[in-house]
Amino acid sequence: MGILTSVLGILGFVIGIPIGLITGFFVLIYSKPTHQEYPPARPLVETSISVLLDLLPDIPLWIKNPDYERVDWFNRFLSYMWPHLDKAICGIIRSSAQPIFADYVGTFCIESIEFEKLSLGSLPPTIHGVKFYDTNEKELLVEPSIKWAGNPNIVLVLKVMSLRIRVQLVDLQFFATMRVALKPLLPTFPCFGTVVVSLMEKPHVDFGLKVLGGDVMSIPGLYRYVQETIKRQVSSMYHWPQVLEIPILDASTAAVKKPVGLLHVNIIRAHNLLKKDLLGTSDPYVKLSLTGEKLPAKKTTIKKRNLNPEWNEHFKLIVKDPKSQVLQLEVFDWDKVGGHDRLGMQMIPLQEISPGEKKVFNLDLIKNSNVVMDSVDKKKRGRLELDLRYVPFREESLKSRHGKQDEYQRKVSRNEKPSEDDDFLSHAGLLSVAIQSAKDVEGKKSHSNPYAVVLFRGEKKKTKMLRKTRDPRWNEEFEFTLEEPPVKESVRVEVMSKGTGFHFRSKEELGHVDINLDDVVVNGRINQKYHLINSRNGIIHIEIRWTTS
């Protein structure tokens, strides 16, 4: 009996499982559901346009506008950093508010004003999208859309006639689209000098204000009046083109010294120089430079076997800081073999020279600039005669030269011949050519090492070579001192590539551009991108400035 029961059990298990699976499958397929079906999905605009309009303000800008980009990573970063930023910002608010509160203490019977509680809450602002602008200037320009529905805990206590009045700010909401510019871009960390902030539209500000426990914003008409007043006041201060400038780097660190004028040096003659050659003579020449400059020093011609040479040679040096720079003059004896012997030197601080006026110097040469060592050396080294004229550029000298410019204009109107000083003030200038970057400069496979060459009036200057790139960024500037404006002239910029291996053609031109300088002379500056000639898609970014004196 036990064996029969076991056999029947095994047969029932083997037959029952397939029959159950087949029956369940057919029941699942052919049975109809008894529950109510879900309605078909339809676009929201077909159901209710009012609902869509209500949702539009809450939709992020990166969905509505393809120019805006998502910055979820920054929002997460802001969320992690918010507790620390809260304390730092509140500390700044306390320190900034103290002098303001001090001005009101003693007026209107106010005895004291202080923060009882100050916290921005646990909810950080949210960036709903950022728009980046590509400009030709040395700046980074972005437009973030900021929304902040915070839960701040700000309680201000006013003590008036021994009565404590508690004012509490609650349920703060702030929506705004800002334009933030980081400029100028510098080679010093954090690589920008100033943060410039402005509002692109009137901000939305909403908050509750409790005084002695009662919400004063519930008073009819007060809520709208306060909102409009805040919008109007904030817009008047920071609505573009009004800006808020926040300095980041110290002025001395962030300032990039630009040329402010030209120093005209005329080396006239020298007297009674030292004898350095075996025959009792010397072969003198003068080497001149300005302190704080990396440019190579200027040199006069060599006067062979002459202890009283006459040069009458004129040089122009670029001045960047006339208050601190010094003109260094060194007289050398030229030798065909070996180093040149220094016969003497002298130094002239530029602050001793009045702008626009010629000053003649007759200097005793000394051994070196060390005053103590030079006082011990009593040897007479001769004298050097020269004249100097410092001519500031127009932007730096409008105030100091206003009288001279008016006098020059009066002479022109009376058909009088301008003096030599007037001629220097009206014609000389500095042409600056800044090679910023290039894009899509294509050469052969072995030629992907581009550099730029600037050609002007026979002078040739070139940037550094960048290896293995078709989108080079040079950011190099070249300067040309001119006696008169470059009217009806042009500057040529060539983009070249140099091979690194053994090639029959070690250099290859990737494109060039010729830029007419008439617009530069008229406007003072151009900053454009040019399509390279003889290049398929090449573009080069060049800035040219003409600064007159």
Side-chain angles (χ1 to χ4, degrees), residues 99-153:
I100 299 175
F101 292 165
D103 293 339
Y104 287 95
V105 173
T107 60
F108 306 107
C109 300
I110 299 176
E111 298 178 5
S112 65
I113 306 176
E114 60 183 10
F115 285 106
E116 183 179 279
K117 297 179 181 179
L118 179 57
S119 174
L120 299 182
S122 59
L123 301 177
T126 303
I127 310 298
H128 278 229
V130 174
K131 185 178 182 180
F132 292 87
Y133 287 91
D134 185 13
T135 66
N136 292 340
E137 307 299 330
K138 294 181 179 179
E139 63 180 7
L140 176 62
L141 193 62
V142 296
E143 276 189 14
S145 175
I146 300 176
K147 291 189 177 183
W148 184 32
N151 55 346
N153 186 13

Side-chain angles (χ1 to χ4, degrees), residues 60-75 127-134 141-145:
L61 275 177
W62 58 267
I63 296 178
K64 297 184 292 185
N65 192 335
D67 292 337
Y68 282 81
E69 300 181 13
R70 298 180 64 175
V71 284
D72 294 341
W73 63 270
F74 186 78
N75 289 326
I127 310 298
H128 278 229
V130 174
K131 185 178 182 180
F132 292 87
Y133 287 91
D134 185 13
L141 193 62
V142 296
E143 276 189 14
S145 175

Side-chain angles (χ1 to χ4, degrees), residues 104-288:
Y104 287 95
V105 173
T107 60
F108 306 107
C109 300
I110 299 176
E111 298 178 5
S112 65
I113 306 176
E114 60 183 10
F115 285 106
E116 183 179 279
K117 297 179 181 179
L118 179 57
S119 174
L120 299 182
S122 59
L123 301 177
T126 303
I127 310 298
H128 278 229
V130 174
K131 185 178 182 180
F132 292 87
Y133 287 91
D134 185 13
T135 66
N136 292 340
E137 307 299 330
K138 294 181 179 179
E139 63 180 7
L140 176 62
L141 193 62
V142 296
E143 276 189 14
S145 175
I146 300 176
K147 291 189 177 183
W148 184 32
N151 55 346
N153 186 13
I154 303 175
V155 179
L156 191 67
V157 177
L158 289 79
K159 191 174 182 181
V160 181
M161 299 178 64
S162 301
L163 177 65
R164 290 171 58 87
I165 301 176
R166 297 176 79 254
V167 180
Q168 183 178 9
L169 181 68
V170 296
D171 300 331
L172 177 62
Q173 294 185 4
F174 177 79
F175 305 156
T177 300
M178 300 180 178
R179 174 170 291 180
V180 181
L182 309 180
K183 62 180 183 181
L185 300 181
L186 303 169
T188 304
F189 190 81
C191 299
F192 56 90
T194 309
V195 178
V196 182
V197 182
S198 59
L199 297 174
M200 301 310 296
E201 57 187 21
K202 289 185 178 181
H204 170 76
V205 182
D206 190 8
F207 60 90
L209 193 64
K210 293 183 178 181
V211 179
L212 297 176
D215 189 1
V216 298
M217 301 303 288
S218 61
I219 300 176
L222 181 62
Y223 172 76
R224 182 175 296 275
Y225 172 77
V226 171
Q227 268 204 333
E228 293 299 326
T229 302
I230 292 176
K231 288 182 180 180
R232 186 168 56 253
Q233 292 298 325
V234 173
S235 298
S236 64
M237 293 186 294
Y238 305 123
H239 196 186
W240 191 86
Q242 305 295 329
V243 297
L244 170 65
E245 293 191 6
I246 306 173
I248 302 298
L249 290 178
D250 182 67
S252 59
T253 305
V256 178
K257 291 185 177 180
K258 294 290 184 180
V260 297
L262 290 178
L263 179 66
H264 296 263
V265 184
N266 184 26
I267 306 296
I268 303 174
R269 63 180 65 90
H271 303 281
N272 302 322
L273 297 177
L274 291 179
K275 302 174 183 178
K276 287 290 183 179
D277 293 342
L278 296 177
L279 300 178
T281 60
S282 293
D283 304 323
Y285 70 91
V286 182
K287 184 178 179 181
L288 56 155

Side-chain angles (χ1 to χ4, degrees), residues 138 256-262 290 292-296 298 316-320 325 393 429-435 454 456-457 459-462 476-482 491 543-547:
K138 294 181 179 179
V256 178
K257 291 185 177 180
K258 294 290 184 180
V260 297
L262 290 178
L290 285 174
E293 278 293 332
K294 298 181 180 180
L295 298 175
K298 307 276 188 178
K316 298 183 292 293
L317 302 177
I318 299 171
V319 179
K320 293 184 178 180
Q325 284 187 294
F393 292 139
L430 181 72
L431 182 68
S432 303
V433 181
I435 309 298
V454 181
F456 179 69
R457 287 188 178 180
E459 292 190 59
K460 182 178 181 180
K461 299 182 180 182
K462 62 181 181 179
E476 294 190 36
E477 186 170 340
F478 305 100
E479 296 167 341
F480 303 87
T481 54
L482 307 178
V491 61
E543 179 185 1
I544 304 179
R545 297 189 305 273
W546 168 245
T547 312

